[in-house]
Amino acid sequence: MAAQNSSIAPSNVEYGGDEISALVLDPGYSTVRAGFAGEDVPKSVTPSYYGILPSGKDRKYLFGDNSIHNPLPGISVGNPMSKDGTVEDWDTATNLWEYAITSRLTNAKPGNPMSNGLNPDMKIEGGDTEMLEDQEKPLEENPLLMTETGWNFGKGREKGIEIAMESWGCPAYWLSRNGVLAAFAAGKPSALVIDLGASNISITPVHDGLILKKGVVRSPLAGNFISNQVRLQFSTSQPPIPLTPHYLVRSKSPVDAGSPPVATYITFDPPSAAPHDSFRRLQEERVFTEFKESVVQVWPGPGRLAGHSQHGATNEEVAKAHPGRPFELPNGWNNMFGPERYRPAEGLFDAKSALSDAANPAPQASQTLPQLIQSSLSQVDVDIRPHLLSNVVVTGGTSMLHGFTDRLNHELMTLYPGPRVRISAPGNMYERRFASWIGGSILASLGTFHQMWISKKEYEEHGVGIVEKRCK
């Protein structure tokens, strides 16, 4: 990794010294995390989903929790990230990230004084217009550290620095792999990072602060997969479980467990006043998220849920002895969930246990977590495998499922009975969900890191290609 000449003190303005706060931006499929380096948690956590309102020939974009969950006429929902965790729509992603930063961390960029309604007679000469454009850069005083997936490609990396330097006017920039940052957050220069997000599970071997690219593997069996498993479970239950999102329920009355709901529903007249189907699906996902957080559990082991216990009984029969968990849907329907609460997450470990239909094909065995770990470790040097297994770091919101770390420990000990397996999984929700952001916060606040920034001057001299040379 190339560094500046250490005998020359870096300029505070150029590299973000102690007097200037660097920003850390950690975009993901579900949320965008942003905050100042040196802080414990990100101050800004913005949904990656955005609303689209039809407005004549143009479209109006809405960002933030308060906007995208309001059932406005014709509103649809999009996401600039692709399912593999890389950016698909750069224009919208740029606006979304800028909103995440300026809405909570810095001031929004000033608008044109000629169009704010307060200066109808104001005229700006050409030179002053250039000055105004210079003032409109929102991050002129803040170096930016941005995270990326372990499989981000060259064009995507170059686009990130181009946005930071050209659109936002950042004085300095750095790009870091989120697997490395999650390891830093756990205080480990070498680790096997298991990241369970919304759209992907990824396994990233990190050795001495660098990722081993051959060992990076990923799978779509993550948070959204479990949500789809819950959806299939609801639709295949007998009778089917009625799912109505919050915005369609006007009022509800208490009912006994398992009884049909007694609720008054909201209708849209004319139908064109109703939100788009994509809006309803997002609201249903919110219900599934509540269900996952309060009901869904991972079968803790030993063995698979479809297997047998040491006493000969099936594990599903053992699960029936465990106390159930209650849940109430927005329309008032409620029930106690027994052993079926273990099934949605079982597909992460056992592909044969996953529910499937035409829209949700059955996963392959190679996509399950145990197979991914085996595949990743088989690509790294034999000598460092025991060290990685003794430094397993678990991160990501989906890893917060009750019983997940116990099951992972059983699976790893079954796969690798020889080496000592030690899992680092913080009980603190913020440390688990925001590990890569916290790692970036630690890294960007280190005094020794200031000489590593890519400065605006270097960018102008070498162009976007410098990110490939410097940020390994």
Side-chain angles (χ1 to χ4, degrees):
M1 187 180 290
Q4 296 297 302
N5 187 341
S6 58
S7 63
I8 301 172
S11 160
N12 274 0
V13 175
E14 190 170 69
Y15 288 102
D18 296 335
E19 297 175 7
I20 293 179
S21 295
L23 287 169
V24 180
L25 179 67
D26 180 23
Y29 186 85
S30 177
T31 58
V32 178
R33 287 77 62 179
F36 289 107
E39 296 190 344
D40 295 335
V41 292
K43 278 186 176 176
S44 173
V45 181
T46 305
S48 295
Y49 293 95
Y50 62 92
I52 309 166
L53 271 182
S55 178
K57 292 182 179 179
D58 300 323
R59 298 193 296 178
K60 183 180 178 183
Y61 291 88
L62 306 174
F63 303 111
D65 267 316
N66 293 336
S67 300
I68 65 170
H69 298 310
N70 191 5
L72 300 171
I75 186 173
S76 57
V77 172
N79 193 319
M81 307 295 285
S82 65
K83 296 240 176 122
D84 67 356
T86 56
V87 180
E88 199 168 50
D89 179 356
W90 279 100
D91 291 337
T92 309
T94 304
N95 294 330
L96 172 66
W97 298 343
E98 187 174 321
Y99 171 86
I101 292 169
T102 57
S103 64
R104 295 294 301 274
L105 306 174
T106 65
N107 293 324
K109 63 183 180 182
N112 190 332
M114 296 180 67
S115 61
N116 64 7
L118 300 175
N119 303 287
D121 301 323
M122 183 177 177
K123 293 183 179 180
I124 297 181
E125 301 300 329
D128 293 334
T129 303
E130 291 177 9
M131 180 184 71
L132 175 66
E133 288 174 356
D134 289 341
Q135 292 175 346
E136 288 180 350
K137 302 291 176 70
L139 302 182
E140 286 186 324
E141 297 180 354
N142 303 95
L144 177 69
L145 185 147
M146 198 166 167
T147 72
E148 62 171 345
T149 60
W151 53 91
N152 194 19
F153 49 88
K155 291 292 183 185
R157 308 186 86 207
E158 292 175 358
K159 188 68 177 176
I161 191 171
E162 183 184 329
I163 290 167
M165 295 295 187
E166 304 286 351
S167 302
W168 297 342
C170 294
Y173 178 83
W174 190 259
L175 186 64
S176 191
R177 308 282 187 180
N178 47 23
V180 173
L181 297 178
F184 284 170
K188 299 178 184 296
S190 299
L192 186 70
V193 179
I194 301 176
D195 186 351
L196 290 91
S199 63
N200 276 285
I201 290 178
S202 66
I203 315 294
T204 308
V206 179
H207 185 61
D208 289 340
L210 294 172
I211 66 166
L212 305 175
K213 291 185 181 179
K214 285 185 177 179
V216 176
V217 293
R218 69 182 193 271
S219 160
L221 307 189
N224 293 345
F225 165 78
I226 297 175
S227 293
N228 285 337
Q229 291 290 292
V230 176
R231 186 187 292 274
L232 287 169
Q233 192 175 57
F234 279 19
S235 62
T236 56
S237 295
Q238 293 299 327
I241 297 173
L243 177 61
T244 307
H246 291 274
Y247 79 97
L248 288 175
V249 179
R250 189 185 303 277
S251 64
K252 61 183 179 182
S253 301
V255 295
D256 294 333
S259 300
V262 178
T264 306
Y265 300 103
I266 294 173
T267 55
F268 294 93
D269 191 23
S272 59
H276 189 265
D277 287 345
S278 60
F279 178 86
R280 172 167 182 150
R281 190 166 183 91
L282 177 63
Q283 301 311 309
E284 290 176 348
E285 288 292 331
R286 295 181 79 194
V287 178
F288 292 142
T289 299
E290 293 174 20
F291 186 81
K292 288 189 293 185
E293 290 173 350
S294 55
V295 175
V296 172
Q297 288 182 246
V298 179
W299 173 249
R304 305 282 165 88
L305 181 63
H308 288 74
S309 69
Q310 297 172 342
H311 306 291
T314 64
N315 284 331
E316 292 207 10
E317 289 175 354
V318 175
K320 289 178 183 177
H322 297 177
R325 290 193 170 194
F327 188 77
E328 181 177 315
L329 291 173
N331 59 5
W333 183 94
N334 66 95
N335 209 344
M336 187 72 73
F337 287 85
E340 63 270 20
R341 71 182 184 273
Y342 293 107
R343 291 186 189 125
E346 186 64 16
L348 297 181
F349 300 92
D350 182 9
K352 294 178 181 177
S353 298
L355 299 171
S356 61
D357 64 6
N360 299 277
Q364 300 172 6
S366 61
Q367 295 176 319
T368 59
L369 192 52
Q371 296 280 346
L372 286 176
I373 294 170
Q374 276 190 311
S375 174
S376 176
L377 288 176
S378 68
Q379 298 297 320
V380 303
D381 196 297
V382 176
D383 295 337
I384 66 171
R385 288 178 197 172
H387 185 54
L388 294 178
L389 283 168
S390 64
N391 291 279
V392 177
V393 173
V394 175
T395 181
T398 304
S399 72
M400 297 292 292
L401 286 171
H402 187 75
F404 175 80
T405 50
D406 293 337
R407 176 64 176 274
L408 178 63
N409 191 50
H410 278 298
E411 294 284 345
L412 286 173
M413 292 180 72
T414 302
L415 289 172
Y416 302 99
R420 183 182 66 169
V421 174
R422 178 174 290 176
I423 296 175
S424 172
N428 184 311
M429 180 187 75
Y430 297 107
E431 290 182 23
R432 188 86 70 88
R433 285 183 61 199
F434 306 139
S436 57
W437 185 93
I438 292 170
S441 175
I442 294 168
L443 185 64
S445 62
L446 294 175
T448 52
F449 181 71
H450 290 160
Q451 63 183 2
M452 304 306 297
W453 291 106
I454 299 172
S455 70
K456 180 88 170 176
K457 191 182 297 182
E458 289 175 290
Y459 170 76
E460 290 170 350
E461 184 178 339
H462 300 284
V464 294
I466 192 170
V467 75
E468 285 287 339
K469 296 174 184 174
R470 293 278 299 279
C471 306
K472 300 295 185 184

